[in-house]
Amino acid sequence: MLDDIDRALVHALQIDGRVPFRRVAEVIGTSEHTIGRRYRRLRSQRLLRVVGMLDGTRFGQVSWAVRLVCTPDAAGPVAEALARREDTVWVRLLSGGTEIACGVQAGEEGDDLLLKRLPRTPRIASMSAHATLHMFAGWRSRTAALSEEQAARLRPDPLDDEHEITLSGEDHALLRVLAQDGRAGLGELAAAAGCSQTTARRRLEQLRAAGALRLDVEIPAQVLGYHAEAWLWMKVEPRALTAVGAAMAGHAEADVVAATTGPANLMAGVTCRDTRALYRYLTERVAPLSGVLEVETAPVIRTIKRAGALLPAIPLPGLALSS
């Protein structure tokens, strides 16, 4: 479990993944050395990692939530193989360990190579892909250790979503490093991109300002005291979809809420303290929402990948996905 300083650090990084430790120390009233030491300890124990992700929607791509049902012996290896790919954003093992849910970025028609290959992969019994139409809530923090005044002091400048940006080879090199360590130093970024540190800093700032690069924090929910995660596939009356999505976005339990294509037109990832709290959430918060016709609840057995870089896939060893 994390103490107060650890939680404040996690919250600060969820506000700005590259915030200087000096500023965090000033805001919470401790030393820069303490903040740096806490971060290195949590990272070395694989409890905390900042990752940089390219927002493919800024470049004409669509987010797809893919559901796979595998034979009992295959779900784990297939999920691991998917997680090793650069074009998967998140991967979760669901239900009794035979279902996988993963996020993929592809073209508007879903013509991505991975989406074509998956149905022909041995031991995958069925597959469905649901395009994201609208995000009511994105991946949100489970930590709220800072006051609003403290959070405001750490918040980065507003994004300039209207700014057009084109990716270069240098950008892709920077992004590959940031996918592994969102706090990688300018020296490491410059070496990877073959440019000066000044150029690396300027391009990093441009990518962030344009909303093309976002930073996320990977931390197991269990470390924060949450032990029941579930993925909800919901059928909602079209006339009520906006109202239900907005209502769920206001629930503290909901990490992500999105309208999608397909029979289940709303999906949500939720996190609760335990299974009893999950039951109360479903029966007392979700069930009363007007317009909800059906809710399919799939417990998260294991999170294989929470966040990843959205870059062109590269061949990787391990389980082969059929060509």
Side-chain angles (χ1 to χ4, degrees):
M1 299 296 292
L2 309 183
D3 64 16
D4 291 343
I5 293 179
D6 291 334
R7 288 178 177 272
L9 171 58
V10 171
H11 192 178
L13 292 173
Q14 288 169 331
I15 295 171
D16 180 358
R18 290 186 66 87
V19 63
F21 290 151
R22 172 185 49 78
R23 189 184 307 171
V24 178
E26 292 172 353
V27 167
I28 67 176
T30 188
S31 70
E32 181 178 357
H33 172 75
T34 296
I35 295 300
R37 178 168 52 82
R38 293 297 186 97
Y39 173 78
R40 289 188 293 271
R41 175 178 60 81
L42 291 172
R43 195 171 192 279
S44 66
Q45 294 175 345
R46 299 183 179 180
L47 297 179
L48 175 68
R49 186 168 72 117
V50 178
V51 294
M53 297 186 296
L54 181 68
D55 184 355
T57 61
R58 299 282 285 118
F59 304 93
Q61 293 184 315
V62 176
S63 296
W64 294 78
V66 180
R67 298 184 68 181
L68 302 170
V69 177
C70 305
T71 57
D73 63 324
V78 170
E80 295 282 357
L82 288 169
R84 289 196 299 269
R85 294 181 60 95
E86 288 186 334
D87 55 354
T88 57
V89 190
W90 49 270
V91 181
R92 285 171 168 76
L93 197 59
L94 305 177
S95 303
T98 60
E99 182 178 350
I100 300 167
C102 68
V104 178
Q105 290 257 334
E108 294 185 3
E109 301 300 324
D111 56 354
D112 182 81
L113 179 61
L114 178 60
L115 297 185
K116 289 181 178 180
R117 296 169 64 182
L118 281 172
R120 299 192 296 270
T121 300
R123 297 184 291 175
I124 292 181
S126 66
M127 167 190 158
S128 61
H130 310 261
T132 300
L133 301 177
H134 178 74
M135 293 292 296
F136 294 99
W139 301 100
R140 297 190 298 192
S141 167
R142 296 265 111 216
T143 306
L146 302 174
S147 68
E148 181 53 38
E149 185 274 334
Q150 289 174 314
R153 292 170 61 187
L154 297 171
R155 201 162 286 132
D157 295 332
L159 299 178
D160 179 14
D161 292 335
E162 301 300 320
H163 180 68
E164 294 292 334
I165 192 165
T166 302
L167 295 179
S168 66
E170 290 181 348
D171 293 330
H172 280 286
L174 293 176
L175 290 164
R176 287 191 176 91
V177 175
L178 293 168
Q180 299 302 316
D181 180 6
R183 292 188 63 86
L186 292 175
E188 183 179 355
L189 294 173
C195 64
S196 67
Q197 291 191 28
T198 301
T199 299
R201 177 189 291 108
R202 181 176 67 251
R203 197 55 182 165
L204 179 61
E205 292 173 351
Q206 291 172 342
L207 289 169
R208 294 192 67 187
L213 170 69
R214 69 182 182 88
L215 298 170
D216 200 359
V217 176
E218 288 186 338
I219 183 168
Q222 294 82 356
V223 175
L224 300 174
Y226 296 88
H227 301 280
E229 297 180 77
W231 205 254
L232 308 183
W233 306 96
M234 304 172 59
K235 292 183 180 180
V236 180
E237 292 180 10
R239 64 176 177 81
L241 185 59
T242 299
V244 172
M248 291 189 64
H251 295 172
E253 296 87 349
D255 302 311
V256 58
V257 182
T260 67
T261 59
N265 55 358
L266 188 71
M267 68 175 188
V270 301
T271 305
C272 299
R273 289 290 182 184
D274 50 35
T275 54
R276 289 180 296 178
L278 175 60
Y279 173 77
R280 290 194 299 270
Y281 174 68
L282 294 173
T283 56
E284 299 175 9
R285 305 292 301 282
V286 177
L289 294 175
S290 178
V292 175
L293 303 175
E294 188 176 318
V295 179
E296 181 183 353
T297 305
V300 176
I301 304 301
R302 181 186 171 200
T303 297
I304 312 294
K305 182 179 187 180
R306 184 179 183 276
L310 309 181
L311 299 170
I314 57 175
L316 289 163
L319 183 71
L321 298 176
S322 295
S323 58

